[in-house]
Amino acid sequence: MGSSKKSVFAPAKAGIAQAGNIVELLVEVARNTFRRPFQFREFIEQAWFIASVTILPTALVAIPFGAVVSLQTGSLIKQLGAESFTGAASVLAVIQQGSPIVTALLIAGAAGSAVTADLGSRTIREEIDAMRVLGIDPVHRLVVPRVLAMILIALLLNGLVSVVGITGGYFFNVVLQGGTPGAYLSSFSALAQLPDLYVAELKAAIFGLIAGIIASYKGLNPNPGPKGVGEAVNQTVVITFLLLFFANLILTLVYLQVVPAKGS
């Protein structure tokens, strides 16, 4: 009976312990961010690497995503007889929800898995242990530049997705649905406002931070062997996706309560 209770609660205890370790790593990253010397070269190299593996997929995903949002909102608004607000609705959908979500998926799927594989391979080759023996803090030397690089690239990718998504939505609405270019552009100011862009960038930064912390934690704590690294990569993607969607829900609820809708 006692062993069955232990087996039931063991996963919950392991999950709580892992959550605590992730929070501890977050605190260490925050503390080491302002510690000198800052690993500027590592930061630039990681930012370039993350950008190289995410920019093209992000742009390719943003085009059909913006088109689908524009076509769906355009069709719905046309049924409601409010064609003049098609542009505003499409832009709001892309900026507030579309671009952060696409950014989160690409940062978690492409960049996060790459960071986990890199740190995981270093861990199983005992390079991380060797750094600790030499008195080098792996969090300061390796984790902080990667987390900051993911935050920076997430901010830039969010802007890229917004521009590409809005452009694609404009093209498909005007060309395929027979919308008026002037009405599409003039409706931007009807519902959209600058805080929409601010909260989208804030979401992207938080998503980049979460993805970087999870990827670094899993990379530093894989199971032994190459199989352990592969499992760590899979766990990174799944856990990051869950946390990012939950964080997006919380941030959206807070934003809608704090910032009033335009015209209300």
Side-chain angles (χ1 to χ4, degrees), residues 100-260:
I101 291 298
V102 171
T103 300
L105 295 178
L106 269 299
I107 284 291
S113 58
V115 168
T116 302
D118 177 37
L119 293 178
S121 62
R122 291 171 183 258
T123 301
I124 65 172
R125 292 198 304 264
E126 299 183 350
E127 292 182 18
I128 303 299
D129 293 334
M131 292 177 66
R132 292 192 176 102
V133 170
L134 294 173
I136 301 173
D137 186 2
V139 174
H140 177 250
R141 179 65 179 82
L142 300 176
V143 175
V144 170
R146 283 163 172 77
V147 172
L148 294 180
M150 292 184 76
I151 294 174
L152 174 63
I153 299 304
L155 290 171
L156 299 178
L157 287 180
N158 184 72
L160 174 65
V161 174
S162 297
V163 172
V164 174
I166 293 172
T167 304
Y170 169 82
F171 175 80
F172 281 92
N173 177 262
V174 172
V175 174
L176 296 183
Q177 293 184 314
T180 305
Y184 189 94
L185 296 175
S186 64
S187 65
F188 281 9
S189 60
L191 298 177
Q193 50 186 336
L194 273 179
D196 297 328
L197 180 60
Y198 298 155
V199 73
E201 288 292 282
L202 175 63
K203 284 183 179 181
I206 293 176
F207 293 166
L209 174 63
I210 293 174
I213 294 296
I214 299 297
S216 300
Y217 173 77
K218 286 297 182 180
L220 293 175
N221 300 277
N223 292 326
K227 181 181 178 182
V229 177
E231 293 173 349
V233 171
N234 292 335
Q235 292 171 4
T236 295
V237 175
V238 174
I239 295 174
T240 306
F241 278 4
L242 293 175
L243 290 179
L244 292 183
F245 281 108
F246 182 74
N248 181 62
L249 172 63
I250 299 299
L251 291 171
T252 301
L253 289 175
V254 172
Y255 173 72
L256 294 177
Q257 292 297 321
V258 173
V259 180

